[in-house]
Amino acid sequence: MNAWALPLADAQPAWSRALPAVVQAVGAPDFDTRVLQALDEAALGVGSWSVYQVWRDRLPQLHLSGSLGVADTTRDCFAAYRDAGLYRRDSSFDAVRPGHAAVLRMHADEAPSHDHRQAIYLRHGVLERLSVVQRGDDGAVFAVNVYRHAHQGRFGDGELAGFAQLAPVLLAGVQRHLALRQPTPDLRAALKARCAALTERELDVCERLLRGWSFDGIAADLGLSVATAKTYRARAFARLGLHFKSELFAAFLPGGDCPPQG
């Protein structure tokens, strides 16, 4: 028999410390927070991150975002990107060919337009962006972006190299996580069959409760406050004739057991 010891932490490159954490976080409701913390612990000096898609013929979609050590303005930034139509003039991903993936770096001064630079980078103190980007054959962009803020300075050469090494696993982990968290059609159909009056948001909240999500996770995923998510839960329970979460599980899950937490 042969045996090899796992590499000691101090013998590994700093960026590799994020690999186990990214893999372990896949499917967890707090995936966005755990990955951001892992990037920080891997000495990549990330202040915030976002994951979004951009298409040619419809509005872009924000999948994940968060900040560490700075005020979280990631959703405000994305709202400006979407609502002001900045995505239509965003040439920052043009270097990635359809059917390929690449790592890109952009300083605030290199933003694709004056409005883009003012509304996102300067207004929110964002200094620099690193991205691992995959472009589909139809031209759609899937981007995992990490940001440095003004007080952090620019990414150093070692951080750039580390991110480039980590990028394939980060991209795969994010895409796998998003695939796993897709709404479960059967649960949604069962809820709708029980009460056709349930609104889309009420269905969104109940479905995620049935999948074991916390209210913090539900609120972050749907872009709501925790209080608003709980309001949708209360309205849905009233329509369904339920009072407790245990009754929801009993009505819609095999055996009536609460699903395991991620």
Side-chain angles (χ1 to χ4, degrees), residues 56 94-101 134-140:
R56 292 173 176 169
D94 287 359
V96 185
R97 293 178 294 153
H100 291 77
Q134 186 170 60
R135 185 180 288 275
D137 291 333
D138 62 352

Side-chain angles (χ1 to χ4, degrees), residues 7-260:
L8 297 175
D10 57 4
Q12 295 176 281
W15 63 266
S16 67
R17 298 172 198 159
L19 292 173
V22 170
V23 173
Q24 291 165 6
V26 170
D30 58 348
F31 174 85
D32 48 355
T33 301
R34 288 168 62 175
V35 171
L36 189 57
Q37 290 173 339
L39 296 176
D40 181 65
E41 292 168 3
L44 294 178
V46 174
S48 57
W49 81 315
S50 67
V51 177
Y52 56 75
Q53 282 178 275
V54 183
W55 295 270
R56 292 173 176 169
D57 56 353
R58 51 184 163 132
L59 289 172
Q61 180 180 0
L62 179 68
H63 292 295
L64 299 166
S65 73
S67 297
L68 185 67
V70 294
D72 187 6
T73 60
T74 53
R75 291 185 178 274
D76 291 339
C77 289
F78 188 78
Y81 182 70
R82 179 193 61 210
D83 298 342
L86 299 176
Y87 69 94
R88 296 192 186 96
R89 293 169 282 152
D90 187 358
S91 59
S92 64
F93 302 122
D94 287 359
V96 185
R97 293 178 294 153
H100 291 77
V103 172
L104 304 176
R105 178 189 190 184
M106 185 179 78
H107 188 269
D109 294 341
E110 299 168 318
S113 69
H114 172 79
D115 290 344
H116 194 131
R117 183 167 56 253
Q118 290 290 331
I120 296 177
Y121 286 82
L122 298 184
R123 180 174 298 173
H124 298 96
V126 179
L127 181 66
E128 196 168 36
R129 183 188 78 192
L130 283 181
S131 306
V132 53
V133 178
Q134 186 170 60
R135 185 180 288 275
D137 291 333
D138 62 352
V141 168
F142 183 91
V144 179
N145 310 289
V146 299
Y147 305 92
R148 290 289 284 268
H149 294 254
H151 69 283
Q152 297 176 296
R154 300 186 66 158
F155 287 102
D157 291 343
E159 293 162 336
L160 294 172
F163 182 79
Q165 293 291 330
L166 178 62
V169 173
L170 182 61
L171 178 63
V174 167
Q175 291 178 328
R176 181 59 178 162
H177 173 74
L178 294 178
L180 287 173
R181 77 171 198 180
Q182 289 298 313
T184 306
D186 289 346
L187 285 177
R188 199 174 187 89
L191 287 161
K192 195 73 173 176
R194 171 79 173 259
C195 179
L198 288 170
T199 67
E200 290 301 307
R201 270 294 184 246
E202 290 164 359
L203 288 166
D204 289 339
V205 170
C206 287
E207 184 181 51
R208 284 160 176 76
L209 285 173
L210 286 166
R211 295 170 63 209
W213 288 45
S214 68
F215 276 108
D216 285 340
I218 293 170
D221 188 50
L222 298 178
L224 307 172
S225 68
V226 172
T228 300
K230 290 182 176 180
T231 296
Y232 283 121
R233 182 277 312 267
R235 291 175 181 171
F237 276 27
R239 297 184 199 276
L240 292 164
L242 305 175
H243 298 90
F244 304 104
K245 193 160 61 172
S246 59
E247 294 176 318
L248 181 72
F249 297 146
F252 293 98
L253 292 180
D257 295 325
C258 176

